[in-house]
Amino acid sequence: MFRLLSKESNIFSVPLYIGFLFLIFLSLNLLDFKYIGVFPSVITFMGISLGYFLFNAIALNQFSHLPLFLYTIFVASFYDGTIDLGLAFTFLMSSILLLILTSQNDQLRKSSFMLVGSILAFNYLVFPPSWPMGVFVIFHIIGTSGRIGLNIFRLLFGIILIVLSYFGLMYLIHYTTWDKTYLPFYGKFEPLDSYLTLYILIPIALMLLYSLSDHFKHYNEKSPISRYKYTFVLVFSLAQLITIIFYMGTNYEYLLLLALPSSIIISRMLRFLPKYWMQELGLWIIVFTLAIFKIANFV
């Protein structure tokens, strides 16, 4: 199976995976008779579908089927058919941000920071736990931009435009009370009573840790482009992980935020394993682990 998934993907691959993803979303929502959130589901589907195009944009996986397959089973395992509207917008906005920041057109990427700021502000207003994405974008500007001050000004200008428009609208409808939940880290962090369900994902967590250790072990052997792209994925993963740690609770659909970077990191880890049987075994461990996690949540 690993050899089959290691083959280069073609132009029909992404629509095929998106079609399969659509069937998953449709079946899960039809099976949930208590709540059919059509609008959040459509927004989530759009955001996750855009993620398929990001694999080629980031270009760390040799355009193979493996990351597409892993991404699909991650989504199928973490999505339960119901999702918060704010989180749904976060998936869509995160995908749009990554499409902009990974664009091969330097002029487009550099001239879009005001739009990026507007997207970050809008996403924050509808889903305050998404604030780590703003930190990720700032680090990205500092690490890649030749005109840091100008681009951060553009970013802040885009944020200010949306925030002022929002406050103006709220003032017009006489909504003048301040909601403290918009402040990062507001309230006391309460750990879960039981981590039993998350313990099922330990094999995947160990694979991610092994992949990171192997990356830094062979860091000097990698090309500058590969190191930059991998660092980009790691910083993005850290931003999403902060949101998960502080705000997830028992809402395991938050794990969808890590589906894209985890697919990239693990597929690279499998590809660089020295033996074929290790690659095949690792792939099936991931499949069975996610299947057990899905069953545990469904029951």
Side-chain angles (χ1 to χ4, degrees):
M1 184 176 179
F2 179 82
R3 287 176 179 169
L4 180 64
L5 293 174
S6 296
K7 293 181 179 180
E8 186 175 346
S9 60
N10 53 44
I11 193 173
F12 300 105
S13 298
V14 170
L16 181 64
Y17 283 106
I18 292 177
F20 181 71
L21 183 70
F22 175 76
L23 293 177
I24 294 174
F25 271 64
L26 184 63
S27 61
L28 288 173
N29 280 279
L30 289 177
L31 288 173
D32 188 1
F33 295 103
K34 295 180 180 178
Y35 174 78
I36 301 179
V38 177
F39 189 59
S41 296
V42 169
I43 297 294
T44 305
F45 175 76
M46 291 171 58
I48 293 175
S49 297
L50 281 176
Y52 285 103
F53 297 94
L54 290 168
F55 290 106
N56 289 343
I58 297 175
L60 277 174
N61 300 109
Q62 294 187 333
F63 308 104
S64 67
H65 284 270
L66 183 59
L68 301 176
F69 174 78
L70 291 177
Y71 183 59
T72 303
I73 62 173
F74 273 124
V75 171
S77 301
F78 297 148
Y79 180 71
D80 63 356
T82 60
I83 197 165
D84 180 76
L85 181 59
L87 186 59
F89 269 111
T90 298
F91 296 134
L92 179 59
M93 296 304 163
S94 296
S95 297
I96 294 174
L97 285 176
L98 289 180
L99 281 173
I100 294 173
L101 297 178
T102 57
S103 173
Q104 300 298 320
N105 188 329
D106 291 338
Q107 184 61 32
L108 172 65
R109 190 172 64 251
K110 293 176 181 178
S111 61
S112 300
F113 285 116
M114 190 171 75
L115 174 61
V116 169
S118 300
I119 292 173
L120 287 173
F122 176 78
N123 195 32
Y124 178 74
L125 291 173
V126 297
F127 189 66
S130 67
W131 63 265
M133 278 299 295
V135 180
F136 159 72
V137 172
I138 291 174
F139 275 109
H140 176 76
I141 293 175
I142 294 174
T144 62
S145 178
R147 307 178 71 180
I148 297 174
L150 176 61
N151 289 329
I152 289 182
F153 172 78
R154 290 171 175 168
L155 181 76
L156 294 176
F157 186 69
I159 292 173
I160 291 171
L161 285 178
I162 297 298
V163 171
L164 289 179
S165 300
Y166 172 76
F167 281 128
L169 178 62
M170 292 298 104
Y171 180 78
L172 289 176
I173 62 177
H174 305 289
Y175 189 86
T176 56
T177 58
W178 173 255
D179 190 349
K180 293 184 179 179
T181 58
Y182 280 99
L183 299 175
F185 301 115
Y186 177 77
K188 183 180 179 181
F189 171 68
E190 297 181 1
L192 295 174
D193 296 331
S194 174
Y195 292 89
L196 183 60
T197 306
L198 293 178
Y199 287 155
I200 300 173
L201 299 176
I202 286 178
I204 295 178
L206 292 176
M207 288 184 184
L208 290 170
L209 292 175
Y210 172 79
S211 179
L212 294 178
S213 64
D214 184 72
H215 169 72
F216 288 108
K217 181 180 179 181
H218 301 94
Y219 186 80
N220 293 328
E221 302 172 15
K222 301 181 183 296
S223 66
I225 295 178
S226 178
R227 282 182 287 186
Y228 159 71
K229 290 181 177 180
Y230 204 94
T231 302
F232 177 88
V233 172
L234 291 183
V235 177
F236 174 74
S237 303
L238 181 60
Q240 305 292 47
L241 188 61
I242 291 172
T243 298
I244 290 172
I245 291 174
F246 285 98
Y247 303 103
M248 182 177 72
T250 56
N251 300 315
Y252 296 128
E253 63 270 16
Y254 275 59
L255 294 173
L256 285 168
L257 294 170
L258 287 177
L260 177 69
S262 296
S263 302
I264 294 173
I265 294 171
I266 290 179
S267 59
R268 282 179 62 84
M269 182 273 295
L270 293 175
R271 182 161 61 89
F272 288 119
L273 287 175
K275 302 291 185 180
Y276 171 71
W277 67 267
M278 294 180 180
Q279 297 170 330
E280 191 71 26
L281 179 62
L283 179 60
W284 282 108
I285 288 175
I286 294 170
V287 172
F288 282 116
T289 298
L290 292 174
I292 294 171
F293 179 82
K294 183 67 175 181
I295 294 171
N297 282 309
F298 185 77
V299 174

